[in-house]
Amino acid sequence: MTGRTSQSETTESKVELIKQSSNGLRGTIVEELSNGLPNFSGESEQLLKFHGIYNQDNRDTRADRKRAGLDIEHICMIRLAIPGGRLLPEQYLAADKLAEAFGNRTLRVTTRQGIQFHFVTKQNVKALIRKVNEVLLSTYAGCGDVVRNVTACPSPAPEIELLKLGELANQISKRYKPASAAYYEIWLDGENITASQATGSGGQDEPLYGASYLPRKFKIGLTTTLDNCIDVLSCDLALAIDERDPDMIHVLVGGGLGRSHSDDTTMPLLAKPLTSVPREKLFQIIDAVISIQRDHGNRADRSHARFKYLVEEWGVDRLRGEVEKRTGLQLQKLHHMEFPNSCDHLGWIEQSENRLAYGIKVPSGRIADTAGGAYRTAIRELVAKFNLSVRFTAKEDVILTQIPVIARSEIIATLKSFGIKLVEEYTGISRSAFACPALPTCGLALTESERFLPTFLESFNQLLDGLTLSHLDIEIRMTGCPNGCARPYLGEIGLVGRSKRSYDIYLCADRAGNRLGKIYAADVATEGLVDALEPIVLLYAAHAHDGEEFGDFCHRWGIDNLKPFAPEPRRRNIAVAQGV
Ligand code: HEM
Ligand code: SF4
């Protein structure tokens, strides 16, 4: 039982009322677009999420502006929903151009295979969204209480391509886009440019969602039984195509990672096995699952509104029974599901006799031109020159696909000439690490993440070097708050922002995304993080079995046997709350 759930509260949250009275996600967005103010109102802020827009402010300038008596620096973040993270060359090049024209000259690859434009001003939002739609992309349902961007394993390997994940991700995405025409009216002056491509019907009614949409965001991920690179079990609805019987899809339910430091009844949970169904029945099952969350999810308390809490409350058997009732299908039980692997899809991958793909490590998904490498220019030039399609991984990296075999050395030479580190030049820990954006744009960030990760990795690499352990391969994930956008509870080392200058450390998750981490140390000062990890690294080096991965080692050793090595929390109340 996970605390407060659907039945125990009756008053609907404020966001529910905003959705209901929004006239199909319209609200007053149109009026506010031309009111001359630099930001949208609080109510519109909620509705804008459904359109793929977050109202934010530049937190780096907050203090100075306050001292100068100025309002905060209002900015918007615009998120592209890209099913399965797959872009055609012209779509990638258009996104690159838009980052230059309307953003902060960076494209931010997200952990759900989308792209974010940061630092977009309110006056540029409409132009940006129109341009996005002109290349048949969309921001609709990039955020909001609906089915979000559908993730899918991006592997370009021929045996995975045969399973057509991209196609299925597109179908799912299209089916569950909101049907309201609000998006087209507001941003495209009524033209439904993408209707036949990536979005829903564009009608006025919401046949599936209803006027209140879902209680909370709903994430669907699609992979194969071979590879869990997208951390599919972190999704509300996890789908895995059986590689031995590609017509069969395994369905798991109730994953979600977000939690709150101040509420012990919130927690990360992994999706649990529900059933296995043939492809032709899949949409019946998804429709039913979504409708159950729509009807029974918690609409009173948003911190308990994710589907995972309903699944915890009901149990999987009751849920399966309800799906059977709603579909009229007899469902078989799926008993167990464990993924063997989580591939990073970096480096060279053979697509066919004369085509290759190349996965580029992009530190924390920030496609930018910086002193550390001109990622944006290099990728743009290669995509344009060789007409390459692009895929984003759920670990925030970029795969260039359909590279002619003869261009192999030119690709490498170009990357090098732009100062980009090749995959094999990374240490194990730097290759796999990634972070959420956090400061300065994310309003929920308690501390740094993307900007601090390189400093942390440098110290951690130094530690390993000093111990002659630089060959160790440990996956590290960092976030600026417990919402967990970089899925830290599934990293072998998860660093979760606790306060302005401290993090909680999680250990024991496995590399393939089958097991969540557990808290090892709470509220560790930023400058003490590496020291806090040193004893565990030494223990691993001394006692790991042959080939045993770090997360598996920590799990075998047991968190209770690791905790004595942890530093004292900085604050006593946190020690008590976490049982450290
Ligand atoms: C713009 C700032 C952002 C805000 C305000 C935000 C908000 C949140 C919140 C509140 C949660 C917890 C949800 C819950 O448990 O119900 C969450 C989880 C998550 N977000 Fe974000 N997010 C932001 C940016 C991002 C970015 C940039 C990514 C991808 C790089 C991302 C991907 C995820 C993922 C993967 C999770 C964890 C899995 C889950 O619980 O579904 N978010 N986010
Ligand atoms: S994990 Fe927290 S700090 Fe990081 S992007 Fe998500 S909400 Fe913001």
Side-chain angles (χ1 to χ4, degrees):
M1 201 53 139
T2 52
R4 287 165 277 156
T5 44
S6 53
Q7 275 88 31
S8 52
E9 279 166 286
T10 48
T11 329
E12 292 188 330
S13 71
K14 200 172 152 219
V15 177
E16 287 302 316
L17 305 178
I18 294 173
K19 287 185 283 185
Q20 281 160 26
S21 59
S22 72
N23 183 24
L25 305 176
R26 289 172 182 81
T28 54
I29 296 173
V30 167
E31 293 77 2
E32 290 185 35
L33 272 172
S34 54
N35 67 5
L37 295 174
N39 63 314
F40 294 94
S41 70
E43 285 205 0
S44 288
E45 192 170 314
Q46 294 304 328
L47 299 177
L48 283 163
K49 292 182 186 173
F50 291 79
H51 299 255
I53 303 158
Y54 263 92
N55 239 357
Q56 301 183 324
D57 77 290
N58 180 358
R59 294 179 60 180
D60 280 348
T61 59
R62 262 189 204 176
D64 283 349
R65 291 177 71 95
K66 193 171 176 193
R67 269 192 294 276
L70 295 170
D71 186 12
I72 52 173
E73 183 186 341
H74 295 283
I75 46 174
C76 295
M77 180 274 275
I78 316 279
R79 190 182 285 163
L80 281 189
I82 307 170
R86 288 146 164 88
L87 286 187
L88 297 170
E90 58 275 19
Q91 292 176 321
Y92 181 83
L93 294 173
D96 177 88
K97 247 193 203 154
L98 293 174
E100 183 73 29
F102 300 120
N104 65 345
R105 302 196 162 93
T106 75
L107 289 168
R108 178 57 157 85
V109 181
T110 77
T111 46
R112 303 201 79 249
Q113 299 175 290
I115 288 183
Q116 290 186 172
F117 298 100
H118 291 278
F119 283 86
V120 180
T121 58
K122 184 185 163 204
Q123 71 191 46
N124 281 335
V125 169
K126 188 166 174 178
L128 189 151
I129 293 185
R130 168 164 275 281
K131 295 271 181 212
V132 158
N133 279 266
E134 280 171 6
V135 286
L136 304 181
L137 290 171
S138 181
T139 64
Y140 207 8
C143 322
D145 298 341
V146 283
V147 171
R148 297 283 191 90
N149 191 37
V150 179
T151 51
C153 172
S155 172
E159 65 276 15
I160 305 295
E161 295 286 46
L162 279 176
L163 301 173
K164 299 193 185 322
L165 276 83
E167 217 172 275
L168 186 52
N170 260 321
Q171 287 167 6
I172 298 172
S173 171
K174 198 171 163 186
R175 185 176 179 98
Y176 300 108
K177 283 280 178 200
S180 166
Y183 184 81
Y184 316 103
E185 287 169 21
I186 297 171
W187 310 108
L188 309 175
D189 301 318
E191 293 168 43
N192 190 350
I193 300 176
T194 50
S196 60
Q197 301 294 323
T199 68
S201 68
Q204 296 286 336
D205 302 324
E206 293 290 359
L208 176 62
Y209 292 135
S212 302
Y213 293 84
L214 297 179
R216 202 71 163 75
K217 62 169 100 169
F218 194 93
K219 297 180 176 175
I220 301 181
L222 171 66
T223 190
T224 68
T225 45
L226 292 172
D227 181 3
N228 189 21
C229 65
I230 62 167
D231 281 331
V232 76
L233 300 180
S234 68
C235 294
D236 298 87
L237 185 64
L239 306 172
I241 298 175
D242 193 321
E243 132 310 299
R244 288 158 310 171
D245 178 6
D247 188 44
M248 194 51 89
I249 299 184
H250 304 300
V251 181
L252 300 94
V253 285
L257 299 185
R259 51 173 283 278
S260 150
H261 285 317
S262 58
D263 184 348
D264 281 348
T265 64
T266 61
M267 67 198 70
L269 290 165
L270 293 185
K272 301 169 181 62
L274 180 77
T275 187
S276 304
V277 286
R279 261 181 210 242
E280 87 258 12
K281 302 258 166 37
L282 182 65
F283 284 121
Q284 276 176 274
I285 304 292
I286 305 180
D287 284 357
V289 168
I290 293 174
S291 70
I292 292 170
Q293 162 69 349
R294 176 198 65 203
D295 298 342
H296 297 279
N298 187 330
R299 289 186 184 266
D301 173 5
R302 287 184 67 77
S303 63
H304 291 82
R306 286 291 293 275
F307 185 46
K308 63 182 176 181
Y309 295 114
L310 185 65
V311 175
E312 277 295 286
E313 185 193 351
W314 278 23
V316 172
D317 289 336
R318 176 172 170 197
L319 184 79
R320 192 184 307 101
E322 184 64 24
V323 174
E324 286 181 333
K325 209 164 101 194
R326 292 186 184 215
T327 57
L329 298 171
Q330 189 97 35
L331 300 179
Q332 55 169 291
K333 267 190 189 177
L334 173 63
H335 291 284
H336 181 72
M337 179 90 219
E338 191 162 325
F339 292 93
N341 188 21
S342 173
C343 184
D344 65 11
H345 306 299
L346 297 180
W348 289 108
I349 302 159
E350 200 170 299
Q351 290 194 270
S352 66
E353 227 169 80
N354 46 21
R355 296 281 154 171
L356 298 168
Y358 187 78
I360 303 170
K361 165 79 191 170
V362 179
S364 287
R366 184 69 66 176
I367 305 180
D369 287 347
T370 66
Y375 286 84
R376 218 184 112 217
T377 305
I379 295 173
R380 180 179 62 240
E381 292 204 353
L382 290 173
V383 168
K385 176 158 187 189
F386 296 105
N387 199 33
L388 306 178
S389 293
V390 171
R391 293 190 188 181
F392 302 124
T393 76
K395 298 176 196 277
E396 306 182 334
D397 297 315
V398 171
I399 310 173
L400 303 176
T401 71
Q402 299 301 330
I403 301 169
V405 169
I406 46 158
R408 189 181 173 124
S409 43
E410 191 176 339
I411 298 280
I412 296 299
T414 306
L415 291 174
K416 281 187 166 166
S417 73
F418 284 108
I420 290 173
K421 238 165 122 172
L422 302 180
V423 189
E424 55 274 16
E425 296 175 76
Y426 280 91
T427 61
I429 62 157
S430 296
R431 172 173 171 155
S432 57
F434 60 94
C436 75
L439 294 172
T441 53
C442 176
L444 303 176
L446 299 171
T447 186
E448 297 283 350
S449 183
E450 179 183 332
R451 295 195 297 196
F452 171 57
L453 184 64
T455 314
F456 171 78
L457 288 175
E458 200 183 322
S459 312
F460 201 54
N461 275 318
Q462 270 168 12
L463 167 79
L464 296 184
D465 247 359
L467 300 170
T468 58
L469 293 173
S470 47
H471 58 281
L472 290 190
D473 180 10
I474 303 172
E475 192 184 57
I476 298 167
R477 299 176 180 186
M478 180 179 282
T479 59
C481 87
N483 284 319
C485 298
R487 301 188 295 270
Y489 313 109
L490 283 167
E492 289 182 300
I493 295 177
L495 301 171
V496 177
R498 156 70 68 170
S499 71
K500 199 168 176 192
R501 277 179 253 288
S502 68
Y503 293 78
D504 291 351
I505 304 178
Y506 285 75
L507 300 175
C508 298
D510 71 315
R511 196 70 184 249
N514 295 302
R515 187 177 60 237
L516 287 168
K518 295 183 177 144
I519 190 151
Y520 156 65
D523 197 29
V524 180
T526 305
E527 58 281 5
L529 287 171
V530 170
D531 287 348
L533 287 164
E534 181 174 355
I536 310 301
V537 169
L538 287 170
L539 210 58
Y540 173 57
H543 297 283
H545 294 156
D546 243 10
E548 189 175 30
E549 289 176 339
F550 181 77
D552 290 338
F553 167 78
C554 291
H555 178 64
R556 175 168 65 79
W557 208 261
I559 196 72
D560 290 338
N561 297 319
L562 298 176
K563 276 185 179 177
F565 296 100
E568 285 292 311
R570 297 182 321 152
R571 288 167 291 176
R572 174 82 197 129
N573 57 338
I574 286 177
V576 174
Q578 300 290 346
V580 179

